[in-house]
Amino acid sequence: MVYSEDKWISWVDELAEKDIVIIDDFISDELYKTIMDFFSVIEENERLKKAGIGTSQDYQIQKEVRGDLIYWLDPKRDPPLLLFFNLMEELREKLGMYCFISLSGSEFHLAKYPIGSKYEKHIDQFNKRSNRQITVLIYLNKDWKKGDGGELKVSNEEGGFTVEPIAKRMLLFKSNVVEHEVLLTNVPRYSLSGWLLHQPAALGSLLG
Ligand code: OGA
Ligand code: NI
């Protein structure tokens, strides 16, 4: 186990209460380096591909709405990321224990937002596919500074707030309720993001 039970409980409580939790330095320096080394190899081998949105086929629209390049991870094909997958298993287990959310699976991708790209306001549950329960965002931008852009803007009833995409920070939020967007980035922006997926829960769920 990477984190103490107390830490998990406080994070899971905050997620349940506020729909979103931000955890700084969630990944270690070692794991950060492992992910970045892996990311470099994927990028050099030109394995990052234009991301789609929902079921839209229109490339022009996709480009305007969402400008990132992604690579879907696979625990079997991508063994260098074993530590990461283990950590996500721990997360899934704790959410099950303390929130009664039954999460049967997960999906993760690397994402690069090239200079001048963004992702317009959306929620992560598409109309035709609603099994995404918890969004996981891990930011990887080491020397991020004000003016670099690419902040995550979260909208809520009070208006909202922005989150800087700084290295080793993790965000968790409820995929079905939290509206968010990626603001235009002025530098290449790196992240590892994904979703914990649903299975009907026997004891009820904080997601309602
Ligand atoms: C997404 C998304 C936000 C981010 O991929 O659905 O909203 O900060 N990403 O990378
Ligand atoms: Ni999103």
Side-chain angles (χ1 to χ4, degrees), residues 66 109 113 119 122 124 137 139 152 180 182 189 191 193 195:
R66 175 176 187 183
H109 61 53
Y113 285 74
Y119 193 161
H122 65 281
D124 286 349
L137 299 169
Y139 293 124
L152 181 80
H180 58 283
V182 177
R189 174 199 198 263
S191 61
S193 45
W195 296 271

Side-chain angles (χ1 to χ4, degrees), residues 39-102:
F39 210 136
S40 302
V41 173
I42 296 296
E43 201 175 359
E44 278 159 25
N45 293 326
E46 296 177 7
R47 294 175 77 183
L48 293 170
K49 304 283 181 233
K50 191 84 199 63
I53 41 158
T55 51
S56 172
Q57 305 281 309
D58 190 316
Y59 178 75
Q60 210 45 46
I61 291 175
Q62 287 187 15
K63 196 172 173 209
E64 279 170 24
V65 172
R66 175 176 187 183
D68 57 332
L69 303 166
I70 61 171
Y71 171 83
W72 286 103
L73 298 172
D74 179 337
K76 293 200 188 76
R77 190 187 49 207
D78 304 319
L81 297 181
L82 182 67
L83 237 120
F84 164 75
F85 286 113
N86 287 346
L87 189 56
M88 290 301 103
E89 269 313 296
E90 191 170 319
L91 169 65
R92 198 154 73 96
E93 185 190 312
K94 302 304 170 188
L95 285 167
M97 268 167 77
Y98 299 121
C99 278
F100 308 119
I101 318 178
S102 175

